[in-house]
Amino acid sequence: MAECVRLDSSTSTHTMDKSITLPPDEIFRNLENAKRFAIDIGGSLTKLAYYSTVQHKVAKVRSFDHSAKEASSDKLYEISVQEEVTARLHFIKFENAYIETCLDFIRDHLVNTETKVIKATGGGAHKFKELIERKLGLKVDKEDEMTCLIKGCNFVLRNIPHEAFVYAKHADSEFRFQTTQPDIFPYLLVNIGSGVSIVKVESEDKFERIGGSSIGGGTFWGLGALLTKTKRFDELLQLASKGQHTSVDMLVKDIYGGSYGSLGLTGDLIASSFGKSATANKEFSQEDMAKSLLHMISNDIGQLACLYAKLHNLSRVYFGGFFIRGHPVTMHTITYSINFFTKGEVQALFLRHEGYLGAIGAFLKGAEEDNPNQYSWGENYAGSSGLMSVSPEMNPMQRARSGTFDMLEMDRLERKLVNLPLLQDPSSYIPDTVDLIEDALAREYWLYCFEDALDGVVKRAVASQPDMPEAAERAEKFRQKYRHKLQTLRQQPFAYGSLTVRSLLDTREHCLNEFNFPDPYSKIKQKENDMALKYYQKAVKSLDELSWEERQFALVRGVLAGNVFDWGAKAVSDVLESDPEFGFAQAKQQLEERPWLIDSFDRWFERLKGPPHRCALFFVDNSGVDIILGVMPFVRELLSRGTEVVLASNSGPALNDVTNGELQILTERIAAMDPVIQAGLSEDRLTLVQSGSSSPCLDLSRLDKVLANVVRERKTDLVIIEGMGRAIHTNYYAMLSCESLKMAVIKNSWLADRLGGKLFSVVFKYEVPDGQPSQDSAAS
């Protein structure tokens, strides 16, 4: 959320004047490259949407042609930083009072726009039509409000994980974010504006208004203004939050002296809204009347929504509209009503970006020629303000403060993302092991941990660009932005959906990219890859000299030892910084002896005595020793057994994780000195595929569609997940429909203690799904 400041007080006669500075790098970002606009104007808020092309730096690797003596050194590949253009959607929400100033700002900063039309929706689109056309020189093309709303809702549900949440006022975690469903349809959308519209949505283009009511937000506002003399909607809610409805409402116990047992009615149930006002000879407070009114309207809407949900057999009911607007008071009363009338069978669901639905839908209508739904999109945490608390108790002035803007940015992803086909139940899959919103101790530790690591990240970012004198300045801006994000999450852990170690890591990567540090660890990875390659043949030779039984354990121990080399873990990075000679042998010595913290090795060993797997999907982790001396010998053994192997690596950089571009070069080099790897490649039994991720963690519900197709085509029956980020922070409890192997070394003392282990404890988790016939007695 950005607050704007006055530019020229002489242009206005009052204190909160409308002449404000709108820094483009904070609010209307990248406006000079805006290509298409849409606007949704409501009764009090305007939501602007536009599409832009964003230039940012990406790190690319290119193999040296060693046969041609192209390289003057022994380096395997060169690193170059290149400019790349990607698409971004911007959504900005601000008060209608500032619409003229904002339109002036947009007009003054438009440079490359090709559009001649602005799509518009909302009740204010007609009112401001002439102003928009005059200011921007664009023709206003009005779109149907409900169509835009539905399109916007479908878009956020499909593209933003943890978009929907249940609100539980008295729980430790008020916001309980829901897992994105593979199929978002059908659902019921209850849009509470001035009145209420209830819409059944069955597909992308099929929806029907099945009911509604004239008693909605306008009723609450209008009657509230008559009862309290308060004209502002948010002030009315603030009054309601402080009131006691029991002073005004007649309860069951007021009539019957207690509960009405034969009808199942508790004594505290409202029997008559405002029932006491007709008989009591006293004045009622504005707060109590506002609270009674809020309950009356909410209960009526809740019952209506429940009846339609039951009539149409729908279990997902989303609530939106200006009556909701993220207000805890309204969300609580709606939730209570739904729980009461359905006895908990239907949940009231709210949306993080509910206020943007109309603008998103209007934009999508204008962008149909580009077919934006053919792509996957991801929220850019660096440019989004998140779900801010609007609780009147926490910050009474927040909604009333002028010049306040909310932002949402969505980046178009290069790859279409889908579920891993081997998830046992995609609808119940939760990637993250710990929800930091619910676990306050873990939240405090990890927020401290990420802030404590910030100096090291800044130092690494600057060191990665020694030839760029302005790198230090950009790194300092990164520090400030990421620290601000951490401070926001301390106060409002729910700001970006579920708060997890994964989301903290991803936010950091987004902020690094924001300030053109695409791959701070590129040179470290290059150096470690070059070094590890020199020892590959020796490592393979020593493994080949072992007996079959000894080799299976040595291979697993090699993967685990390689996984120690993780620059994302402070305990390891401190060692690697202070002791450059720390190597593979020393890493093996750091591993705990068996029995490990989680130890399924004996079952895995017995499984290896059975028939080979058809195909193994291996999600790899770090560059250098990890991939070259740990993973590749393990892959080599699988190939020798007759198992096909698919190596899935990151599409983009994250910490010192190996990327697909780097892995392609490394594998070619290894193949040149290893006939087993060479044969695997030439016979198409070893395949390298992008995961679609640029994160140190792994979300199996958002993987490259190409990878998912390969998994199906190869009839994959073994999934191997390596590393602390992918196998412990995420996917520790992931249930797959085939055999799985999760391997990691715990390189964080606090996490190790949480799991009952110690630093460098080992997790080796071999799992066979229930009901799958085992290949051996030990694994059954």
Side-chain angles (χ1 to χ4, degrees), residues 230-484:
T230 298
K231 295 295 184 181
R232 287 183 65 93
F233 184 83
D234 295 298
E235 288 175 9
L236 193 59
L237 279 172
Q238 190 181 339
L239 287 174
S241 71
K242 297 174 180 176
Q244 293 292 330
H245 74 97
T246 53
S247 302
V248 183
D249 293 342
M250 187 175 289
L251 308 182
V252 169
K253 65 183 178 185
D254 295 325
I255 301 173
Y256 299 105
S259 61
Y260 196 149
S262 61
L263 293 181
L265 304 176
T266 64
D268 292 328
L269 199 66
I270 298 172
S272 174
S273 295
F274 289 91
K276 290 179 181 176
S277 60
T279 57
N281 187 23
K282 66 170 186 176
E283 290 289 321
F284 295 98
S285 74
Q286 293 187 13
E287 290 85 354
D288 293 348
M289 288 190 291
K291 188 62 165 283
S292 175
L293 180 62
L294 181 64
H295 276 295
M296 183 180 78
I297 302 292
S298 298
N299 286 336
D300 184 65
I301 294 170
Q303 185 173 32
L304 200 59
C306 290
L307 291 170
Y308 278 107
K310 287 188 172 183
L311 183 64
H312 292 269
N313 196 29
L314 297 170
S315 59
R316 279 177 278 186
V317 183
Y318 298 103
F319 289 85
F322 90 85
F323 182 70
I324 303 293
R325 269 173 60 184
H327 284 286
V329 183
T330 53
M331 292 191 295
H332 173 65
T333 51
I334 289 283
T335 298
Y336 180 87
S337 174
I338 290 286
N339 287 342
F340 176 80
F341 288 117
T342 69
K343 295 180 172 60
E345 291 179 9
V346 175
Q347 285 186 314
L349 295 168
F350 305 95
L351 300 171
R352 280 176 56 209
H353 300 103
E354 172 273 322
Y356 292 108
L357 301 186
I360 293 172
F363 173 83
L364 294 173
K365 285 288 289 180
E368 284 177 343
E369 64 196 60
D370 296 332
N371 193 13
N373 282 327
Q374 72 178 310
Y375 304 103
S376 290
W377 300 79
E379 183 174 2
N380 174 30
Y381 296 137
S384 298
S385 49
L387 176 68
M388 295 298 171
S389 172
V390 289
S391 169
E393 297 94 330
M394 288 179 63
N395 193 346
M397 292 302 295
Q398 184 159 345
R399 301 301 297 206
R401 189 175 70 235
S402 295
T404 298
F405 289 67
D406 287 341
M407 290 84 70
L408 165 65
E409 289 184 356
M410 302 283 289
D411 284 336
R412 191 175 77 191
L413 306 178
E414 289 183 27
R415 328 292 294 183
K416 180 75 174 174
L417 303 183
V418 297
N419 281 306
L420 176 69
L422 298 171
L423 282 174
Q424 202 170 90
D425 179 13
S427 64
S428 64
Y429 168 69
I430 299 173
D432 304 287
T433 304
V434 179
D435 186 339
L436 300 183
I437 295 179
E438 295 186 358
D439 192 330
L441 282 175
R443 177 172 73 246
E444 188 54 39
Y445 170 76
W446 285 110
L447 287 172
Y448 163 79
C449 191
F450 276 87
E451 187 154 7
D452 185 54
L454 201 43
D455 286 347
V457 177
V458 169
K459 179 183 173 185
R460 183 59 52 201
V462 174
S464 71
Q465 298 181 358
D467 301 328
M468 297 185 180
E470 82 291 351
E473 183 183 345
R474 283 186 284 111
E476 187 55 38
K477 288 181 179 178
F478 153 75
R479 183 208 303 273
Q480 292 171 9
K481 183 149 206 170
Y482 188 58
R483 179 172 284 151
H484 175 70

Side-chain angles (χ1 to χ4, degrees), residues 513-736:
N513 281 316
E514 185 75 15
F515 296 102
N516 283 323
F517 293 106
D519 194 356
Y521 292 85
S522 58
K523 289 181 168 58
I524 287 177
K525 290 188 290 182
Q526 183 186 43
K527 179 182 175 183
E528 292 186 347
N529 285 332
D530 287 335
M531 185 63 67
L533 277 169
K534 295 174 182 176
Y535 294 96
Y536 177 78
Q537 286 175 304
K538 181 181 176 182
V540 167
K541 184 173 182 293
S542 64
L543 286 165
D544 286 344
E545 290 170 353
L546 298 174
S547 66
W548 183 85
E549 290 82 0
E550 291 173 321
R551 187 163 68 250
Q552 304 318 306
F553 180 69
L555 286 163
V556 166
R557 197 158 173 262
V559 172
L560 294 168
N563 194 242
V564 168
F565 290 81
D566 184 352
W567 281 85
K570 193 171 187 301
V572 176
S573 62
D574 287 349
V575 172
L576 296 175
E577 289 271 19
S578 60
D579 182 8
E581 299 302 315
F582 185 86
F584 196 37
Q586 289 91 331
K588 288 179 183 177
Q589 293 168 8
Q590 293 284 349
L591 299 178
E592 69 173 337
E593 296 296 323
R594 291 192 67 201
W596 295 322
L597 180 62
I598 305 294
D599 195 336
S600 304
F601 177 77
D602 291 341
R603 295 179 65 227
W604 171 248
F605 181 75
E606 289 302 318
R607 172 62 185 87
L608 291 176
K609 295 177 182 177
H613 296 88
R614 284 190 300 273
C615 178
L617 169 62
F618 201 136
F619 288 100
V620 299
D621 192 5
N622 305 305
S623 287
V625 172
D626 189 347
I627 185 69
I628 295 168
L629 302 183
V631 170
M632 277 303 187
F634 194 94
V635 167
R636 185 177 186 272
E637 185 76 9
L638 289 172
L639 291 169
S640 299
R641 279 174 55 79
T643 300
E644 295 182 4
V645 178
V646 177
L647 288 179
S649 54
N650 270 7
S651 299
L655 296 173
N656 66 314
D657 292 1
V658 67
T659 64
N660 184 257
E662 292 159 349
L663 188 54
Q664 296 278 356
I665 295 171
L666 292 175
T667 307
E668 287 174 13
R669 182 63 185 275
I670 290 170
M673 50 183 166
D674 187 337
V676 177
I677 299 297
Q678 179 63 57
L681 289 173
S682 61
E683 296 166 12
D684 197 28
R685 293 189 300 112
L686 174 58
T687 309
L688 278 56
V689 187
Q690 299 184 45
S691 67
S693 172
S694 297
S695 168
C697 296
L698 179 64
D699 182 352
L700 296 176
S701 68
R702 287 173 69 80
L703 294 178
D704 188 343
K705 188 176 182 179
V706 173
L707 174 59
N709 290 337
V710 170
V711 166
R712 284 195 197 90
E713 291 164 4
R714 301 283 170 119
K715 296 183 170 56
T716 302
D717 55 353
L718 172 65
V719 173
I720 304 170
I721 306 176
E722 181 215 5
M724 199 164 77
R726 292 169 179 79
I728 296 180
H729 289 314
T730 52
N731 299 304
Y732 190 73
Y733 298 117
M735 303 297 289
L736 302 176

